[in-house]
Amino acid sequence: MELKLAQSRATALEADAIVVLEWKGSKQPELFKTLAPFYDSGEISGKPLEFTLLHGVEGYKARRVLIAGAGEREKLDAAGLRRIAGAAVRFLSGKGIASVAFGLDREGLGTAEFVEAAAEGALLGVWEPDRLKTDDKENSKPIGSLTIAVGDVKGLDAALNHARVVGEAANLTRDIAVEPPNVLTPLALADRARAMAEAAGLAIEVLDQDRMRQLGMGALLGVAQGSAEPPALIVIRYVPEKSSDPSTQLGFVGKGVTFDTGGISIKPAEGMEKMKYDMAGAASVIGAMQAIARLKPPVAVTGIIPTVENMPGGRAQRPGDIVKSLSGKTIEILNTDAEGRLILADAITYAKQLGCTHLIDTATLTGAIVVALGHLSSGAFTNNDALLEKWMAASKLAGEKMWHMPLDDEYRDLLKTVYADIGNIGGRYGGACTAAMFIKEFVGDTPWVHVDVAGTAWLDDAKPYMAKGPTGIPVGSFVNLALNWKA
């Protein structure tokens, strides 16, 4: 989708349709005469995500006017506008509409924050997961352009570019995450990362199975050994021309299990097809690195992606096996379906060896975080409050909800085992916390935030503003953290 700014009134824009916000309890003077019957009947009330499509509205050059309910004006924030923009373009899709305009030319809406939100929301809204369908698409004429009217406000080009870059990165993440597991194997994921890196001008290295064996990545290789598909460890590097903090190297680590059967501790058949999305964390790191290459933050960033397939083959690791991690710590495998933390352990150790001074890992790690937080917020765990504060600020700007989860020392007791340094699962309760505590064992004193996106990286059902499937979370948070980094 092409994005443009227009320093003009919404009424003057020519388009197939223009989106006009309506507040709850208000009536726009310029539209009230035309729309009085709709207001009187209650069809237009200004409730959030309420849409009324009208044709040939007097005073507007656009062929159609979409009245979009936005709730109360004082409560509308960037996250709310992002949803409205996404829902609006999805509402208009399939109606023969190629060009859309969006009115931000009144009531203080022409700001960088709202321009970013409207543009990014529209980009996320037009994405569809049906690329492999061969029948005629319902949306035969996709929306090709969005023009945002900002009145006489100037200086918003950077905001529009930021939205374009982040929206395209999130959609790249979704393109990768929606791939079927017979197509997106670990080596295919490495190829996708390599293609992105080469196009973006980033350095990339892919460690193969032999190299990982030489290094001693027993935790990662133990997960991979049951599959005929070889594993990989992907390292993508961004180095700024001039760093504002030369002592810092951010490390973004993403879990890349391209399909998770659970291994010998096999999952139930129902819903297992969704386990292709167990590499959504890896996909978000790839997307974030693309955006970082384009926006050029003043801090070094390294993306580290351990990628495997977890299968119950004849060579698969067993409950009771003990593996030696890259850190030297031994791990008793109590459940082979707790595999994500194993590959993250070796990836985080390697990130530290590469010189990463601050770590953020993201993973579709536990069903327990979904029980705790549902599908609304990702769980954030940390060993460093200062880094968490930066991460939470970055996520708020991105409209990606995070909730600070506990990581008390007592959770470590639940991972004790007689036969090794640590077990890979705790007891029945607090599963998201014990999983985070397991990862913390390999982080040491390095400032670190663990982001469990098991409940937020995927939509089981479409929302008005977003298609069913991968969401792209937490690409925006990654990018904002790097852009706003201060020593």
Side-chain angles (χ1 to χ4, degrees), residues 1-4 19 78-93 98-102 104 114-128 139 142-148 160 163-164 166-168 170-171 174 464-467:
M1 175 188 283
E2 182 184 7
L3 300 176
K4 295 179 285 187
V19 181
L81 185 62
R82 191 179 286 109
R83 289 191 291 271
I84 291 168
V89 297
R90 293 188 65 77
F91 182 91
L92 294 170
S93 294
S99 60
V100 174
F102 203 98
L104 292 181
F114 281 137
V115 166
E116 283 185 21
E120 187 181 333
L123 283 172
L124 297 176
V126 296
W127 184 89
E128 293 291 345
N139 186 6
I143 295 173
S145 68
L146 174 76
T147 302
I148 301 175
L160 188 71
R164 179 187 295 109
V166 174
E168 290 177 353
N171 285 345
R174 298 162 83 192
Y465 48 86
M466 188 173 285

Side-chain angles (χ1 to χ4, degrees), residues 299-313:
V299 64
V301 184
T302 300
I304 303 98
I305 298 166
T307 177
V308 301
E309 187 180 57
N310 188 22
M311 299 291 283

Side-chain angles (χ1 to χ4, degrees), residues 273-351:
E273 75 282 352
K274 289 188 290 187
M275 287 301 97
K276 68 179 183 180
Y277 97 104
D278 215 13
M279 39 61 64
S284 70
V285 171
I286 294 172
M289 293 304 294
Q290 173 179 283
I292 286 166
R294 293 178 178 177
L295 293 174
K296 302 187 184 309
V299 64
V301 184
T302 300
I304 303 98
I305 298 166
T307 177
V308 301
E309 187 180 57
N310 188 22
M311 299 291 283
R315 294 174 52 82
Q317 67 180 3
R318 298 147 289 246
D321 283 1
I322 294 178
V323 297
K324 188 174 183 180
S325 68
L326 177 60
S327 73
K329 293 181 185 290
T330 56
I331 304 166
E332 183 178 9
I333 308 303
L334 301 173
N335 187 315
T336 65
D337 194 24
E339 85 298 331
R341 65 200 71 180
L342 297 173
I343 69 173
L344 288 173
D346 278 349
I348 282 171
T349 302
Y350 193 62

Side-chain angles (χ1 to χ4, degrees), residues 126-139 178 467-468:
V126 296
W127 184 89
E128 293 291 345
D130 59 355
R131 290 184 302 138
L132 294 181
K133 284 188 174 182
T134 58
D135 57 352
D136 291 336
K137 299 292 194 337
E138 179 184 348
N139 186 6
V178 81
K468 175 179 179 177

Side-chain angles (χ1 to χ4, degrees), residues 2-46:
E2 182 184 7
L3 300 176
K4 295 179 285 187
L5 285 174
Q7 287 181 279
S8 70
R9 307 296 298 176
T11 52
L13 287 183
E14 294 184 0
D16 292 331
I18 187 163
V19 181
V20 178
L21 300 180
E22 178 58 42
W23 313 119
K24 188 176 181 180
S26 72
K27 298 174 181 179
Q28 293 186 59
E30 70 269 25
L31 289 176
F32 180 62
K33 182 177 180 180
T34 303
L35 304 184
F38 299 96
Y39 285 114
D40 294 341
S41 68
E43 185 174 344
I44 297 178
S45 67

Side-chain angles (χ1 to χ4, degrees), residues 316-399:
Q317 67 180 3
R318 298 147 289 246
D321 283 1
I322 294 178
V323 297
K324 188 174 183 180
S325 68
L326 177 60
S327 73
K329 293 181 185 290
T330 56
I331 304 166
E332 183 178 9
I333 308 303
L334 301 173
N335 187 315
T336 65
D337 194 24
E339 85 298 331
R341 65 200 71 180
L342 297 173
I343 69 173
L344 288 173
D346 278 349
I348 282 171
T349 302
Y350 193 62
K352 292 166 62 180
Q353 292 180 2
L354 293 175
C356 293
T357 60
H358 298 74
L359 296 169
I360 310 287
D361 83 75
T362 182
T364 49
L365 203 65
T366 66
I369 199 67
V370 187
V371 174
L373 299 178
H375 296 281
L376 297 177
S377 295
S378 305
F381 302 78
T382 192
N383 66 352
N384 186 282
D385 289 340
L387 181 58
L388 178 68
E389 185 178 351
K390 291 182 178 183
W391 175 257
M392 297 298 271
S395 66
K396 185 175 181 179
L397 281 175

Side-chain angles (χ1 to χ4, degrees), residues 189-201 204 290:
L189 180 62
D191 288 341
R192 295 294 295 270
R194 186 178 290 107
M196 180 284 295
E198 290 175 353
I204 183 169
Q290 173 179 283

